[in-house]
Amino acid sequence: MNIRIFFLAVSLLPCFVKAQMQQLNAAEIAQGLSGLSVKGSVLYIAAHPDDENTRLLAYLAKEANVKTAYLSLTRGDGGQNLIGNEQAELLGQIRTQELLAARKVDGARQFFTRANDFGFSKTSVETFNIWGKEQILADAVWVIRKFRPDVIITRFPEDSRAGHGHHAASAIIAREAFVAAADPKRYPEQLEKGVEAWQAKRILWNTYNFGGNNTTASDQLRIDVGGYNPFLGRNYGEIAAISRTNHKSQGFGSALQRGEAFEYFSHTAGEPAKSSLFDGVNIYVANAAITKLLADIQANYQLKQPAASLPALLKLKKIAAHEKDFNHQLLEELIMACAGLWVEAIVPESSYAVGDSIPVSINTIYRANFAQLKIVAQIGNQSLPMKDNKLSTAKYAIKAGQADITQPYYLKKEHPIGYYIIDKQEEVGYPENPNGLTAKVKFELNGETFSMSLPIFYKSTDPIKGEQYQPLVIAPKVTATLSDQAYLFINNQPRTIEVSLKSFTKNVAGEVVPVLPAGWKASPAKIAFNFSQKGDGQVAIFNILPDGNSASAKLSLDVNIGAEVAHKGLRTIRYDHIPNINLFPTATARLEVADLKIGGKRIAYLDGAGDLVANALQQVGYEVSHLNTSQILLNDLSAYDAIVTGVRFFNVNEEAKAIYQKLMDYVKNGGVLLEQYNVNNGLKSMNFGPYPFNLVNKRVTEEEAKVTFMKPEHAVLNYPNKITEKDFANWVQERGLYFAENIDPKYQTVLSMNDTGEAPNEGSLLIADYGKGKFVYTSLAFFRQLPAGVPGAYRLFANLLAKSL
């Protein structure tokens, strides 16, 4: 048996990121062989990362052996973050990677639409108004036509039982896409891009019983998905929990479930199912020759010598070559796994700049212990003989262009609140960039050709973590990063702004230039840089002067290198459970002029789940010290004018109970304690303030909702800043969340607000005098408003921190 391998030039090909060629053990190969006779497929549709039913996905992918995928309409950008301070698109990046990690466990594929998670929505009507229903429907139709599912399953119903406008919208989109995908008159432009109209057999709603809502019924289709897979050594409930635990930013660590577990399904459209999801669908390969050969391969498979199946598997590849719905990708993966073949494409440094020469090494080995197997690797005209269990390496160089800069395809353009801008139809649906720098590898095995595209990685060895793979980063030559997304100019006074410059190449010189609207001025007008080494950096400090007339403006940065002009900053996200994420967003910031007075400067900040409020306070002149619970217990707190707890402090800090009395004593002795929002479930302590109240999942999601002043004369609305309706203008995403209820009358509630059609709610802001001090609990979304530079939010927050006159 002869195998030839050709390493072709690095090319732009669809890239499904794996650090290296997937290594299957002998049991996993046997699991894969059992799925080769199946051609059925299922598409599961919901709204967000973590909405998917991982137990059902694992069952479908690994027990039913059908091709399985999850279409999440959004990337979860508008949610909260329990592991850091990333919000919006940055959080969406984290949750995308968490979904991909989950899919590696449960075996499903992952798709998205262009919809942006703009935060909690109470109705599907509001959701569609912001998303633009037609374009999200078009994206769902595209995914259906491309994936060609036999069955579509939704997580949610179309009505209020869904509990979220996005949830209900996902069910509506799924039902309408089920119909539209089969109609060639709907979105006919898609048919010119290589897809065909597709009619799934049926669409069902996967009903549920959790969170106090039981939507299951005895007359619904019921399936036991709690079986045990001996190849994998786990129940599907165990696999599901491991998959779901990847949603770490949402705090979804899950206990492993064992034993029978039933899923229920309600008919939505298409042909009703009576006993199986696949009633009336032939999910098995019909070709008799293929079926017989597969049976022989499974019967003769040797766990200790998978390579012995290679002759039969190669024969199967020839026979099945023209079977349209056969799982050719799985077959090729199994052939390479039986050959013990492993390949990686790596570079010696983590990043390179546009125009750099990038040295790439391709390392490969086969470990078949099979005498008839011979492999030759060829790079261009150079042949590289390979021997069993001997590592072979090939080297060459590539050059990256401007289009290769590491940036998600859907973030390359500024976008409105409800959706991302995607110019190329072919990119729709992909979790990551479908086109990127890859090493195209061609295998020839006894006349049968195998092609694959390897993403290029930086490989290193960490003394603690061991061997590590991280995606190759292609960067601008120099980045200019602003420290904040928004800057406040207090009373029209000038202020300094820092710009962090970083070089991604050697010997580069130029200048960074602030670009401002007419009337605004920067001093100096530009700052030069001259970097000799890759990784060199510099902090450029500009003094920005408002024009005296404008309330707001936009700052952008030009990085001039000769005739080249760039505008990119740098943002890196690092967590152990996902690959490093490097983004190069446009270097811009919002500039806001505010009439702001502050009372008291020294603030102690107790970090919660993660937010940027402390940074925002420092920006406007507060002196902020981050304290942990031990420091609270041991230190004299009287030195601080106010203490602030970060978002979800009482959800994540195990010592919340232990410091309660010390905080109350601090207030009693004349201090100000301001607690930001917490979630009503998973609380480490129910003792928030000096008097009782409860938290509930009630919120005001309309960021422009009218705010009524219940006690206009109250100090927090008058000192040191006079609060008016204008201070609630231009808020972002929402007013507040997880409001208070059952509030002790000793608290004063000074604000009332509500979404359209709902009753007024006074639970967003609670204030109580306690001893000589002041206690404040607020569910207002300051953690979004302050980093976004909303002047009125700063003015109100300053009042809450100030000691009463």
Side-chain angles (χ1 to χ4, degrees), residues 287 289-290 293 314-323:
N287 187 306
I290 292 177
L293 182 54
L314 290 170
K315 181 179 178 181
L316 177 61
K317 187 174 187 297
K318 290 181 180 179
I319 294 175
H322 301 294
E323 288 287 323

Side-chain angles (χ1 to χ4, degrees), residues 520-578:
W520 289 69
K521 295 180 181 179
S523 178
K526 59 186 177 182
I527 293 178
F529 58 82
N530 191 342
F531 300 129
S532 60
Q533 297 297 321
K534 179 178 180 178
D536 283 353
Q538 174 182 334
V539 176
I541 300 177
F542 295 95
N543 196 48
I544 307 296
L545 177 66
D547 70 352
N549 297 313
S550 301
S552 62
K554 178 181 177 182
L555 165 68
S556 59
L557 299 175
D558 284 354
V559 179
N560 300 324
I561 303 172
E564 301 176 16
V565 181
H567 318 274
K568 299 298 184 183
L570 168 65
R571 183 62 194 258
T572 298
I573 303 171
R574 292 182 179 175
Y575 293 102
D576 285 345
H577 69 294
I578 57 175

Side-chain angles (χ1 to χ4, degrees), residues 226-239:
Y228 175 76
N229 188 318
F231 290 127
L232 305 178
R234 293 191 182 277
N235 281 79
Y236 294 111
E238 296 175 281
I239 296 170

Side-chain angles (χ1 to χ4, degrees), residues 74-151:
T74 77
R75 296 173 185 265
D77 328 70
Q80 283 83 55
N81 184 358
L82 283 182
I83 61 174
N85 57 27
E86 294 85 4
Q87 297 177 19
E89 291 88 351
L90 297 179
L91 178 57
Q93 285 288 293
I94 293 171
R95 298 187 73 180
T96 294
Q97 291 300 324
E98 290 176 340
L99 268 181
L100 291 176
R103 296 296 79 80
K104 289 178 182 178
V105 175
D106 58 43
R109 292 182 62 183
Q110 183 63 51
F111 297 113
F112 294 95
T113 73
R114 73 188 69 209
N116 180 32
D117 178 358
F118 55 84
F120 192 88
S121 174
K122 294 182 178 178
T123 69
S124 58
V125 172
E126 178 195 41
T127 297
F128 287 139
N129 285 339
I130 296 174
W131 278 355
K133 179 183 177 182
E134 194 65 18
Q135 62 184 350
I136 308 306
L137 177 59
D139 287 353
V141 167
W142 169 261
V143 171
I144 291 171
R145 287 173 172 174
K146 199 172 181 184
F147 187 66
R148 298 162 63 88
D150 295 304
V151 176

Side-chain angles (χ1 to χ4, degrees), residues 258-279:
R258 300 169 180 89
E260 66 178 13
F262 293 94
E263 295 292 343
Y264 292 79
F265 304 88
S266 175
H267 177 71
T268 301
E271 184 179 306
K274 297 181 179 179
S275 60
S276 164
L277 291 172
F278 303 102
D279 282 350

Side-chain angles (χ1 to χ4, degrees), residues 62 101 158 185 231 238 310 316 320 354 369 408 434 440 544 717:
K62 298 179 181 292
E158 298 183 18
K185 295 179 181 179
F231 290 127
E238 296 175 281
L310 282 171
L316 177 61
V354 170
N369 191 25
K440 185 181 179 184
I544 307 296
L717 299 178

